[in-house]
Amino acid sequence: MTMFSIPSSWATCWEKLQNFKLESLFARNRGRGTLRTIYINQDVPNSYLDAKGRPKKEYVYCTNQVITSKYTIITFLPRNLLEQFRRIANIFFAFIAILQFFPQFATISPGLVILPLLIVLGITAVKDGYEDIKRHQSDRHVNHSRVRVLTGGGWTNPNFTGGKSRTFVRGIVSKARSKRQGVHKADVETGTPTDAERDTDVELDEGISMPNGKHHHHLSSGDHDVVRAHWKKTLWEDVRVGDFVKIVNNESIPADILICATSEEDNVAYVETKNLDGETNLKSRNASPVLADLRTAADCANKLDAFHVDCERPDTNMYKLDATVSRGSDRSPVDLQMVLLRGTVLRNTDWVIGVVLFTGEDTKIVQNSGGTPSKRSRVERQTNPQVFINLAILAAMATVCGIADYKIESRLYPEGAPWLYGDDTSGDNPGINGFITWAFALITFQNIVPISLYISVEGVKTCQALFIYFDYEMVDKKTGQPTLARSYNLSDDLGQIEYIFSDKTGTLTENSMLFRECSIGGVVYYGDRESEPDPEAQQIGDDNNGASTPLATGVKLSSGVPEHFKDKQLSQDLASAIDAEPGSDNAAHARSLNGFFSVLALCHTVLAVVDPHTGAIEYKAQSPDEAALVQAAADMGFIFCGRDKDVLKLKTPFSTEVERYQLLNILEFTSARKRMSVIVRKLDEADSRLFLLTKGADSVIFERLKAGGDELKQATEQHLDDFAGTGLRTLTLAYKVIPDDEYEAWRERYQDAVISLEDRGGKVEAVYNEIEQELRLLGATAIEDRLQDGVPETIADLKLAGIKIWVATGDKLETAIAIGHSTNLIADDSNIIVIRGGDWGRPVSEQLVQALEDFFPGSDVLKDDFAPLGTSQYRESQTPYAMRRLSTGVTSLVGEDNGRRPGGYVLVIDGAALGQALSDDQHKKLLLSLGTQCEGVICCRVSPLQKALVVKLVKDGLHTMTLAIGDGANDVSMIQAADVGVGIRGEEGLQAVNSSDYAIAQFRFLKKLLLVHGHWSYARNGTMILNFFYKNIVCIGVLWWFQIYCGWSSAYAFDYTYLLFWNSFWTIAPVLGIGLFDRIVDADILMAFPELYRYGREQTWFTMKSFCGYMLDGVVQSVPLYFLVTYAYFTTTARSDGYDIALDEYSTTMVFASATVACLYNGLNTNVWTAWVFGAVFIGIVLLWLFTVVYNSISPGWFVTDVYGNNHFLFRSAYFWLCLPLTIAISLLPRYLYRAWQLGYAPGDLEILRYIRKKRPELDIAKACRLAPHHQQSRTSSRRRPSSRMSRPLSLASTVGGTPTDRSVDHASADHPKPQDVRRASRTDMSTGVRSVDRGFDFATEEGGVAMRRIQTNLSERWQSNRHLPLPETEPSVKKKSSMRIFSSLRRKKPPTPNKDS
């Protein structure tokens, strides 16, 4: 260790200082929390109380109040002041103001000196307070939502809850709190709301609302004055741990709640979790078995129904919760399947009763959200070192003045200088006077750091926020919601974004699935795209025929399905198929049509609900994909009429009767299987065959097809490629007929596998695979996960702007890839690199290293710490996981160049792999290196906390500007972690908006927010600040040169009033004009040419280099401004009376010249001269002339000034009229020549575009500069998603007269679509080494959920009870007019002929 090494303690302190965050001082750190026991209908043990009878701190739970705002009444003043004094300039201003309170340094009244600082602090505080009040109002909207809480019946909640926080909105006075008898608790809420409270929001279990003022009469019980147990609507923030709550259908969950009972027969509840994990499919949850009898308010309030719940401490793991319910001698485990988490929404369930386990900050979703950060823009952060430089210059200037004054006095005092008489006392000597001169110099030159800069910037940013608000092109036409800036100080950051992190569900997509296209028997149907809206219900069929479930007269649109599927050609083919003769040319296709839609209508777990009023059917599905598929089948006449235990009912166009099928088995979908199958038996007197109906990924279906039919397979594969090419989610459908004896043998093997104690999952999968062979191909479907308007075009343009887009979603991998295709994030010729976690396959570190070695061999990161890992471990694992090609069952579609497509690379990584990749610095370095070299990154199956960690990884690792955008509570942590957070007002609530810096209505508005408003704001603010520093250095330079001639005494060169108003009137308007009205180029050009955004990304407008250039300009210009005027006036007097000039006479000339130069220089740096800019440049000059004329004319009778009568000498002097034009011309000449040379000989893209717009304002520049070859004409598919724009040259400097010289054509443009290659989009799974072609497969449903387990259990029980009985005879029925076997199509006039071998 050398003698110059830094002590470790110092290094630790410096690291802590660097990592210090202001918000940590005001964040309430509750720690990890403790294990908790929640007592219901029984008192808490005495160990929960201290010696004084007060509850111990660890047993006091937080309230359900969630606050996303920064300030409270108490913390506002100290926190806001600390935030403002992070600006070095404010500390300096406060020091100067305090200094002038001492008489030795006073210039004017100390109160007037500190007034500007107080105004700056006050205006900023008011702005910050206003922003935060808006956040409090949004919080209030959430916290004041209402939920039914158990009240009455003698029920009390013995658990302790802390007091709620006071906010700006809540006010000072809090509500009275009930107290526990015999226990003194100042800040603890216990007990139950008193019966004396009069509240009309009361419900009985029957759902009857009590009329106003009459609820006590209805709720009285017996002869005692005891209020009967009931449900009372209570504010969310008043919900407490241990409360019973009742949630009804479509209501949001207010806290983390243990399910006691539900309205469903099996005590199952369905919840929508897209607000937590981004998945649109419903999840099933079940009640705790030991609490299933608590189905009414009376049951819950019964003292005999006492129990307690032992819970783990609150944590961030969204996928795990461990607890135990103890009721009497029974103890039952509780996991996440029995809990409803805050942020989810109850669906398809009438009601749920539960017990609150965690509230507020202890809930899973809030645990995954951080505290509201105090964000500062990059420009503001970069201003601090520039202020430091100016302060250093100021200190040097003051030091020089102080030393020079000391030296002069020390030399002249012995010589008897009369003005130094008595300069030898302790309080008056050269040393003391030198120090006083040093301090006074700080005051004289203090304008080198202008206090008006910050208030000007705040005002300009506020106006820029208003410009965004009043931009009508960013207003949602449907809702009328404008774009709102919730944080005014980040507008310039919008112009420097390098990485965007986006949620998927609700942000990029509309949370709706639409059946778009299908391929049936080798024939493709594209669907009709009528613009007119669909009717509310489609009338299909009108027969009832005595079915136990009332047949619907129509089918409503399912939730999440925006419109009905229509296709005229398909309808005609179905009509022809109904009357097709056996053996005719149309018979085969008729069987395919019938089989295709029968699979759609039967292979699912959808519930059919009949509206009791209209009789219409509405489908309730866990998966939005299944809802779209079943809805499409119904739209084509294949109506699924519901399930009666294990009997499925289907009405088809081929039969006037309801066909009935017995559901025997469900071979459920998993991500590994990539398929779902059902085994059904048709219950028909003429046909009782067994069928296996399957839907899944093309890769797994094709390899299980029966040999033959190559022509159909090839046609279907081509259609799948076409579907995937337009970003649609695909499924392949197939079936087989199962002989009875084969099924019985298979069923025995399946039962053995199900009850196996060893490797049950593997055995069940093997048995599944046995039966799912020798399938017959039917066709494929294409579903659109409907995107928000303009999403593909917006993403394409943002990519052209050089912004890298990372998508972080809770959806599974296939869904994420499908969205990547449809949103333009994954191009047709992109290479997809998949990194998977888990216990199987390669370790994540090996996958990352291998991906870097295979695809980016020149990466520097491999040359450092990871060379051993990339050579030894990887090579050892090559054998078991060698790269192989994946066959689809027809032919190999992957060429030798797989993984080397010209479209670049997109990384897809799942949550398990991401967790390992973020575990230590080495893995982070690998992930960051791989991710930054890819064109885009998609993170799937990620938790809200992982989203924030990914943002921080890029933000801190690359020191780049990041933006996060989302619409749900699961996006809050990501939004807060990014430099700029954007919330979308979506269907998932306002949580994201409440925590965001900007709120928009649709994703497409992000384009204009960044490319126009962001770019404008950054260019304006950067140029304004640089010009601010410049104009002040000009003034300070003139004062500095004067010190040479005034004995370095820190005296003012001109009247102090001119200096006082320098930043207030003379030179303030031009810089404000730049900040408010300057335009680097017009908005339509910025929108048409996203490539121009690179000027912002590269920080063109505000750098240290440009700062130094402007400062140098100011110093250079101050030389002629001072010396030309000084020597002009000092040569020969200009007065007619022969007297020498006075100081104020020639110094006022300097003021006029300096102010005029500063204003005109700002004008030279303005790009667009409008009337506003013109007025701003010259108004300061006009004010200066008017003020001087008036100020010099004020007689001593009004008040005494040093310049009275100066007009008589100033304006009559020839030197005044000579010096003004001469000094102004000489000072501005260098900048003028530079600008002329730049525009004439080295113009950039912006200069060219401005010139074209000025000379030819009628020209459509965007259209003129496109490069698409006009001689080519090709047919464009009407269904193909068009590219956002045509290709253009990377630099407009290469375009002369609108004719491009760079002809790099984008062949994927809208008018010239690139032909689809079946080998499009290579996909490499690094965990297994499999390389395959992506054909858009995606299917979302809950895997291994409670509902599926219940169905499987019921089917197994029925099989066990019937396994020794003969097959049930079909019920006798009236002879049908026609009947239809499932996979054969005959005319209605003739009865079907059974064919067992088909």
Side-chain angles (χ1 to χ4, degrees), residues 1118-1150:
S1118 68
V1119 173
L1121 288 172
Y1122 179 80
F1123 288 102
L1124 282 178
V1125 175
T1126 298
Y1127 286 106
Y1129 273 89
F1130 280 7
T1131 52
T1132 304
T1133 179
R1135 289 191 178 185
S1136 58
D1137 56 11
Y1139 284 96
D1140 285 339
I1141 59 167
L1143 173 63
D1144 292 323
E1145 186 176 338
Y1146 86 92
S1147 66
T1148 304
T1149 305
M1150 293 181 191

Side-chain angles (χ1 to χ4, degrees), residues 993-1203:
V993 170
N994 293 348
S995 302
S996 67
D997 304 304
Y998 292 87
I1000 61 179
Q1002 294 186 28
F1003 183 85
R1004 62 187 174 93
F1005 296 151
L1006 186 64
K1007 176 183 175 182
K1008 189 170 188 182
L1009 185 65
L1010 297 184
L1011 302 189
V1012 177
H1013 290 286
H1015 206 170
W1016 275 354
S1017 297
Y1018 173 52
R1020 289 167 172 173
N1021 294 349
T1023 307
M1024 179 185 72
I1025 294 173
L1026 293 174
N1027 280 275
F1028 231 110
F1029 282 123
Y1030 153 79
K1031 71 183 184 63
N1032 277 39
I1033 206 68
V1034 168
C1035 176
I1036 297 303
V1038 172
L1039 294 178
W1040 172 252
W1041 302 126
F1042 178 68
Q1043 302 307 309
I1044 301 174
Y1045 301 93
C1046 70
W1048 304 95
S1049 61
S1050 303
Y1052 294 107
F1054 35 79
D1055 189 85
Y1056 182 74
T1057 309
Y1058 288 110
L1059 184 63
L1060 188 65
F1061 292 154
W1062 179 266
N1063 286 316
S1064 303
F1065 295 107
W1066 320 143
T1067 60
I1068 189 66
V1071 290
L1072 291 180
I1074 292 175
L1076 293 176
F1077 308 116
D1078 191 24
R1079 295 196 306 272
I1080 50 176
V1081 74
D1082 289 344
D1084 61 318
I1085 297 177
L1086 289 175
M1087 290 287 283
F1089 294 91
E1091 298 92 339
L1092 297 175
Y1093 190 77
R1094 67 180 177 86
Y1095 288 98
R1097 286 189 300 103
E1098 297 169 359
Q1099 304 177 48
T1100 305
W1101 311 113
F1102 194 71
T1103 62
M1104 187 60 71
K1105 179 180 178 181
S1106 57
F1107 168 77
C1108 294
Y1110 276 80
M1111 294 289 286
L1112 183 61
D1113 259 358
V1115 172
V1116 170
Q1117 291 177 19
S1118 68
V1119 173
L1121 288 172
Y1122 179 80
F1123 288 102
L1124 282 178
V1125 175
T1126 298
Y1127 286 106
Y1129 273 89
F1130 280 7
T1131 52
T1132 304
T1133 179
R1135 289 191 178 185
S1136 58
D1137 56 11
Y1139 284 96
D1140 285 339
I1141 59 167
L1143 173 63
D1144 292 323
E1145 186 176 338
Y1146 86 92
S1147 66
T1148 304
T1149 305
M1150 293 181 191
V1151 174
F1152 272 84
S1154 300
T1156 304
V1157 166
C1159 291
L1160 294 179
Y1161 182 88
N1162 293 160
L1164 280 177
N1165 294 321
T1166 304
N1167 297 300
V1168 178
W1169 277 71
T1170 62
W1172 290 102
V1173 173
F1174 187 89
V1177 168
F1178 289 99
I1179 189 172
I1181 302 173
V1182 173
L1183 288 176
L1184 176 61
W1185 280 79
L1186 294 176
F1187 173 81
T1188 301
V1189 171
V1190 175
Y1191 185 56
N1192 291 351
S1193 302
I1194 297 176
S1195 66
W1198 292 87
F1199 57 86
V1200 178
T1201 65
D1202 296 332
V1203 295

